[in-house]
Amino acid sequence: MWLRFVQGIGVGGEVPVAAAYINELSVAQGRGRFFMLYEMIFPLGLMISAQIGALVVPSFGWEWMFLIGGIGGLIVFLFFFKLRESPRWLISKGRFDEAERVIEEIESSTDKRIEAKISAPQAVVKGNWKELFSPFYRSRTLIVWTLWFSSYFVANGLNNWLPSLYKTVYNLPLEDSLHAASLTNVIQTVAVFACALLIDRVGRKRWATIAFLVVGLLLTTLWFNGAKSAESVMYLGSAAYGVMGTITVLLYLYTPEIYPTRMRVLGIAFATAWLRLASAIAPTILGFVLGAKGITSVFVLFACVAAVGAFMAFKMIETREKVLEDIAP
């Protein structure tokens, strides 16, 4: 338990920083596609780990999955030494010469010039968490917090519970349960790839709103048909998880966009804390609902949370094709 706690500190700290870092290095035009293709790492990793787990766990035990993940973490650590600091962050700290050198290095590797706004001197302003609740940013903060909580309540609830449902409710063998659960990760990978190709055309707000509504519709359908078979849960539940996966990945793009450099990491760090809370309480709530009301009530609960997400997504500001400094001064 303690080792998992330490692991959570590392991964929990790296993820928001990575999201802010990639955003700050991306140009306005095509930023959504570029960032979302980078975010494909998440569903690909989930899909591959699920397939490996389906092969390794029945034969060798669950402990081997920790070894495989640990080796991957050590490999990633070595790549950190190759990273250059974000020019926007350097500028926010008044280190203009260092920022210029990084920009020149980036420009030398491409035939495109970096936006002038990145390299222009700016006033050095220190970020403060209280600014998240300032009149300008308060509504943005409350909206993305709700989006993070609602999307991950549904996504992680489905991801954590579907394998157990297959085995305990529908009495599938362990190997079949793992293979059925891995279908959700395959669908999510395809859905996120489609989102990456279309996000700069559709826009963040429209995509999130429609995706929440589609998830709610799929889960409501499961409620209506009573989730009578493992096949209906497998296909409709997996489709709902796949579509919701596009929102969970999209939020890593959208959240850093709506805050300025001085508080970009703060903004996404506070927001991702809500996904941790949702991930922590969802299994407990779902277990209680499943035991007290039955499996159909689980899906109607998911559908209601998705409806809340759709309402909040409609209140998002559109950030498509906009320079970060224009979105968040």
Side-chain angles (χ1 to χ4, degrees):
M1 183 179 67
W2 284 109
L3 290 173
R4 288 279 286 167
F5 176 77
V6 174
Q7 175 203 359
I9 294 175
V11 176
E14 185 272 341
V15 170
V17 173
Y21 180 78
I22 298 296
N23 250 286
E24 292 180 4
L25 290 181
S26 306
V27 296
Q29 187 175 7
R31 181 174 60 238
R33 182 179 65 256
F34 175 79
F35 187 92
M36 292 293 286
L37 287 174
Y38 147 74
E39 286 287 315
M40 284 290 296
I41 294 170
F42 278 98
L44 281 172
L46 288 172
M47 181 181 69
I48 293 171
S49 63
Q51 298 298 330
I52 293 175
L55 296 173
V56 171
V57 174
S59 301
F60 301 99
W62 56 266
E63 295 92 340
W64 279 81
M65 292 303 296
F66 284 94
L67 176 62
I68 294 170
I71 293 173
L74 292 174
I75 293 173
V76 171
F77 176 74
L78 299 176
F79 284 101
F80 288 154
F81 297 99
K82 294 289 186 179
L83 294 177
R84 300 293 181 266
E85 189 53 80
S86 161
R88 281 185 164 98
W89 183 84
L90 290 170
I91 291 170
S92 73
K93 300 300 181 182
R95 296 158 61 176
F96 302 116
D97 291 340
E98 293 178 62
E100 185 63 32
R101 286 196 293 271
V102 175
I103 292 172
E104 289 175 354
E105 184 177 342
I106 296 173
E107 286 182 333
S108 67
S109 64
T110 179
D111 57 357
K112 296 182 180 180
R113 285 195 57 80
I114 308 302
E115 303 157 38
K117 283 195 174 186
I118 295 180
S119 57
Q122 302 173 9
V124 179
V125 181
K126 186 177 180 180
N128 190 312
W129 67 268
K130 295 179 181 178
E131 194 177 355
L132 294 172
F133 306 100
S134 64
F136 188 85
Y137 292 106
R138 185 186 303 125
S139 63
R140 298 185 182 189
T141 297
L142 296 178
I143 288 170
V144 293
W145 284 10
T146 306
L147 293 174
W148 279 94
F149 182 88
S150 57
S151 62
Y152 274 90
F153 185 95
V154 177
N156 283 354
L158 287 171
N159 193 44
N160 292 336
W161 268 100
L162 284 181
S164 298
L165 293 177
Y166 295 141
K167 191 172 188 302
T168 59
V169 176
Y170 299 104
N171 299 316
L172 293 181
L174 174 61
E175 188 172 354
D176 291 342
S177 298
L178 291 173
H179 281 300
S182 70
L183 176 65
T184 62
N185 302 121
V186 174
I187 293 177
Q188 185 192 41
T189 302
V190 175
V192 172
F193 182 69
C195 180
L197 298 180
L198 298 172
I199 192 63
D200 285 323
R201 295 183 181 180
V202 177
R204 284 65 156 155
K205 176 179 178 178
R206 186 182 303 172
W207 184 283
T209 304
I210 295 174
F212 268 118
L213 291 174
V214 170
V215 170
L217 179 62
L218 290 169
L219 296 172
T220 302
T221 302
L222 270 175
W223 172 58
F224 272 121
N225 71 18
K228 295 179 180 178
S229 66
E231 288 74 18
S232 65
V233 174
M234 186 186 308
Y235 295 122
L236 292 174
S238 296
Y241 176 79
V243 176
M244 185 60 77
T246 66
I247 302 174
T248 59
V249 174
L250 175 61
L251 288 174
Y252 280 104
L253 163 67
Y254 177 75
T255 306
E257 289 180 323
I258 63 174
Y259 294 113
T261 301
R262 63 183 178 274
M263 52 188 273
R264 183 164 290 123
V265 174
L266 277 174
I268 191 171
F270 272 85
T272 54
W274 287 92
L275 88 81
R276 310 300 173 194
L277 179 63
S279 302
I281 68 175
T284 303
I285 294 175
L286 296 177
F288 174 79
V289 172
L290 180 64
K293 301 293 183 178
I295 188 172
T296 56
S297 298
V298 170
F299 294 116
V300 76
L301 173 61
F302 282 144
C304 291
V305 175
V308 173
F311 175 77
M312 298 305 291
F314 186 72
K315 294 180 175 293
M316 293 167 62
I317 62 169
E318 186 52 66
T319 59
R320 177 171 59 99
E321 304 291 312
K322 295 180 181 179
V323 177
L324 293 179
E325 285 73 18
D326 291 338
I327 302 169

